[in-house]
Amino acid sequence: MKTVAVVATGAVALAGCLVGGFFAGRAFPEAGKVHLDSRSICAGDDFQEQVGAFKRILPEGKNFASSASSRSSDIADELNSTCRILVDGESAFYLESQTVTMSADTWEKGLLADEVVSKDGLKTFKAGTRALSSPNAAAIYLSCTRKDAQGRTMALSIDVSAQGPAASKTGAHRQDLAEIAVQAARVVSLPTQCKSLDSLPEGALPALD
């Protein structure tokens, strides 16, 4: 089992997040100037097309910080990666990717019970085996063709959420969060060597509102 953790703090700072336990942490040189680009958001260039989404989700603030951690087995049968972005000390964005051995129904019930996604305003969208969208969160379940070392069928679970100062009462982040979740699913399916039975959408998602 391999564990990697990265924490970056500063006047304006963000750190890398996932890609099979590899991280890239960077801090912006100009204190007080908020500037987001693809190399400063969760794992280098993996979110090139989603920079605008992050800018719309994250509120304006003088202090940004991000922490990330990942655990993966040597053969990548197990993976748990997280990325959290704080604005002025408050959690504003959270992403978690992990391998699971539960069914899609059990997965959905768990997300609702833990309030990862909310029942109010819950929608589905086409991505992977099952994809859920609520006003401030999105989650994707990807069935896999491989089994773990114990012979259990594997799946990938990805969830992202806007929290605290970034949470929207109007659901304005619904589309952006879904787009980020889809890209995270594309990225995390590579290091796990888990080819999903269900394809992820290409290009922009249809409007969810």
Side-chain angles (χ1 to χ4, degrees), residues 57-208:
I57 292 170
L58 295 174
E60 294 183 358
K62 292 183 179 180
N63 295 284
F64 281 73
S66 178
S67 62
S69 66
S70 179
R71 298 192 311 274
S72 64
S73 68
D74 292 337
I75 58 175
D77 272 344
E78 298 179 4
L79 171 71
N80 182 282
S81 295
T82 65
C83 175
R84 186 183 299 278
I85 298 175
L86 290 83
V87 176
D88 294 337
E90 293 187 72
S91 180
F93 174 84
Y94 182 73
L95 183 157
E96 182 172 21
S97 301
Q98 60 184 319
T99 49
V100 297
T101 54
M102 65 187 75
S103 67
D105 287 341
T106 301
W107 169 81
E108 180 174 343
K109 290 177 181 177
L111 292 181
L112 289 169
D114 294 340
E115 298 184 344
V116 175
V117 294
S118 63
K119 292 182 180 179
D120 293 337
L122 185 65
K123 298 182 179 182
T124 61
F125 62 99
K126 292 183 178 181
T129 308
R130 187 170 302 179
L132 306 173
S133 168
S134 61
N136 285 295
I140 297 174
Y141 177 100
L142 291 166
S143 297
C144 299
T145 57
R146 64 182 295 181
K147 297 181 183 297
D148 68 5
Q150 299 179 42
R152 298 172 299 183
T153 300
M154 292 173 59
L156 293 174
S157 170
I158 296 92
D159 63 83
V160 302
S161 59
Q163 306 174 339
S168 169
K169 294 181 179 179
T170 64
H173 303 323
R174 183 188 292 273
Q175 189 78 26
D176 289 328
L177 288 167
E179 296 277 3
I180 292 171
V182 169
Q183 177 60 12
R186 293 191 187 104
V187 172
V188 80
S189 64
L190 297 177
T192 58
Q193 303 172 22
C194 181
K195 295 182 179 179
S196 174
L197 291 170
D198 307 272
S199 62
L200 292 166
E202 296 290 339
L205 287 175
L208 301 181

